[in-house]
Structure formats: structure tokens, C-alpha cells
Amino acid sequence: MLKKESGMKNRRSWFRDFAVTAVVMATLSSGNLFAQGRGGGPPQTAKVAAPIDLTGYWVAVISEDWRWRMVTPDKGDFSSVPLNIEGRRVADTWDPAKDEAAGEQCRVYGAPSLMRLPTRLHISWQDDNTLKIETDMGTQTRLLHFGETPEKGARSWQGLSFAEWEFDAGTGAPRRGGGPTGPRDLKVETTNLKAGYYRRNGIPYSDNAKLTEYIDLFPKLPNGDEWLVINAIVDDPQYLTERFITSSNFKREKDGSKWHPTPCTSR
């Protein structure tokens, strides 16, 4: 009798372990649905998996920080940027003529500051897994890589950006938003940056800075407008006392008729 009960216990234990394993595997499979493609097929490209369409032309709408974004602030105006003592010291050495002589007129056009400029964006797919963002101010190009990123090269103004659509692991739906007009996130992390400026008056970020962005689309508002909101977070212990957080707004334009690229300028 004892042997029979022992055997039943062993079988119950085996079935319990099997059930737990099955639940775990099912959860992992559902979380990877979009990575594999529907029906267990080959992995979807980022372009096919995109829950929102960011392509087209966009114009910056400057509704905050106007005096720092539309004109060159005075030297020593560090307002709203959490600079540490070393950051302030470096900012106090700003000299646009020296930047020009060194061929570094693009210091304020790097990824941590580019979207804060009064610029236009042209967003398109360079290939199925690379989203391209061009700006008319400074004639800059950012490449957002989905999946495996290319090998690091030399540091640059736009650095190396890795992007991912933020799907819910359980449902495969966009992580945020509750309906067709809700925001749906694209997360972008950028490193390998060349040191530059947050603003035209020489407020510095170092080449160790890390930029994290969340890009939300608000499509088809009641008046027909579409808005793009870019929330940016910069981590840079070398020059900041805490994270520097900004939010930039763009409105979709019907075409590229107002697109006029201009070169970098340090003034």
C-alpha cells in the first residue's frame, strides 16, 4: 500500500512539474510572437512590425523654453539644466570662434540636442530594420537600428542608436494606449556620442553621455492634426547632477515643400 501511494505521489509531482513547464513555455512563446512573426513564421522586420507610421515630414512646435531654443542664450545662462560644478566650468569657456576654427560648428546638432532645435524632420525607412531621421537644421541624419546594431565606429554627433517597438509581452499589442488614438511607444537608446552642447551657448554633454528617448505618435486628433512627442532623458554623471529630461513636440506636415536643409552654425 505504501509503495502504491508513493508511486501516485511521484506521478502527481511529475504532472505538476510538466504543467508548470508548459505554462512557462506558453508565456515565453506569446511574448515572442512579434519577434517570430505570426503563425510561428520567420521574424518580422521592424518595418512590418511597426504599430505606427512615423514616416513623412514634421515641424517642431516650440511651446516651451522658447528663449533657449529659438535664440542663442547668453553665455553663462544654465537655467533648467542640472549642471554640476565641472559642467559650469566648461560652459564658461564657450567660444564660438574657437569651435569654428576647429571645424566643430555642429556641436549643438548632436543627438542629445538635435530635436530641441527649431527644425523640421524627414522620417523614412532606410531599410527594413533601420529608421532614418533627417533634420533640415544642420543637415543631420540619425539612423535608428532595430535588432542587432552595427559595430561601433568612431564617436559621432549622432552616435549609435538602438531602437525597439514597445510591445506588451503577453498580448503582442503596443504597450501603451487604450485605443486607436492612444500613444504607442518607440524606445531609442543612443551611445558612442561625440561630446557636444545642449544649447548654442556651450552647455556641455560629454562623450560618456547616454540618451534615452520615447517617441509617441498621437494620430488624427479632432482637428485632423497628427503630433509626435519625443521625451528625452540624458544621463551624464561627468557634467550633470541628475538626469536632464526634456519633451519636444512636432506636427505632421502634408509634404516636403517647406524642407530646406541648412548647414551647421555655431552662432
Side-chain angles (χ1 to χ4, degrees), residues 200-264:
R200 292 185 182 277
N201 63 341
I203 299 179
Y205 61 82
S206 75
D207 56 11
N208 293 317
K210 176 184 176 182
L211 171 65
T212 303
E213 296 164 289
Y214 297 90
I215 301 177
D216 299 334
L217 174 67
F218 293 81
K220 300 302 181 185
L221 298 180
N223 64 354
D225 287 347
E226 285 189 272
W227 287 77
L228 202 61
V229 178
I230 303 177
N231 295 299
I233 303 168
V234 181
D235 292 284
D236 185 12
Q238 184 169 338
Y239 292 142
L240 298 178
T241 60
E242 59 185 86
R243 287 178 156 185
F244 181 37
I245 302 173
T246 57
S247 181
S248 305
N249 303 325
F250 293 84
K251 187 168 71 172
R252 187 186 289 277
E253 297 191 300
K254 62 180 181 179
D255 55 39
S257 59
K258 298 179 181 179
W259 178 258
H260 300 294
T262 56
C264 297

Side-chain angles (χ1 to χ4, degrees), residues 72-252:
T72 301
D74 293 335
K75 185 174 182 177
D77 183 353
F78 313 136
S79 300
S80 82
V81 181
L83 281 181
N84 60 22
I85 294 175
E86 178 62 11
R88 288 171 178 264
R89 185 194 69 77
V90 173
D92 281 334
T93 68
W94 171 65
D95 184 343
K98 287 185 177 180
D99 289 339
E100 292 170 356
E104 296 196 336
Q105 299 94 323
C106 292
R107 276 185 171 269
V108 77
Y109 297 84
S113 51
L114 187 62
M115 301 305 182
R116 299 293 287 168
L117 298 175
T119 187
R120 283 183 162 82
L121 310 179
H122 178 214
I123 303 179
S124 60
W125 286 96
Q126 175 166 284
D127 56 49
D128 287 344
N129 286 303
T130 307
L131 193 64
K132 180 167 67 173
I133 302 178
E134 299 170 276
T135 67
D136 62 354
M137 285 198 72
T139 318
Q140 298 295 302
T141 299
R142 296 185 64 188
L143 297 178
L144 312 185
H145 303 279
F146 293 77
E148 293 186 5
T149 57
E151 293 184 5
K152 286 186 178 180
R155 293 182 181 276
S156 65
W157 302 124
Q158 306 312 324
L160 186 60
S161 297
F162 172 78
E164 59 179 332
W165 300 115
E166 293 222 302
F167 295 113
D168 183 274
T171 65
R175 193 182 67 173
R176 296 184 58 202
T181 61
R184 299 166 181 177
D185 282 351
L186 170 64
K187 181 180 180 181
V188 183
E189 293 188 340
T190 302
T191 56
N192 205 41
L193 289 161
K194 185 177 179 180
Y197 300 147
Y198 292 113
R199 293 176 183 161
R200 292 185 182 277
N201 63 341
I203 299 179
Y205 61 82
S206 75
D207 56 11
N208 293 317
K210 176 184 176 182
L211 171 65
T212 303
E213 296 164 289
Y214 297 90
I215 301 177
D216 299 334
L217 174 67
F218 293 81
K220 300 302 181 185
L221 298 180
N223 64 354
D225 287 347
E226 285 189 272
W227 287 77
L228 202 61
V229 178
I230 303 177
N231 295 299
I233 303 168
V234 181
D235 292 284
D236 185 12
Q238 184 169 338
Y239 292 142
L240 298 178
T241 60
E242 59 185 86
R243 287 178 156 185
F244 181 37
I245 302 173
T246 57
S247 181
S248 305
N249 303 325
F250 293 84
K251 187 168 71 172
R252 187 186 289 277

Side-chain angles (χ1 to χ4, degrees), residues 32-51:
N32 290 328
L33 176 63
F34 270 75
Q36 294 177 350
R38 296 185 182 277
Q44 289 185 325
T45 65
K47 184 176 180 179
V48 171

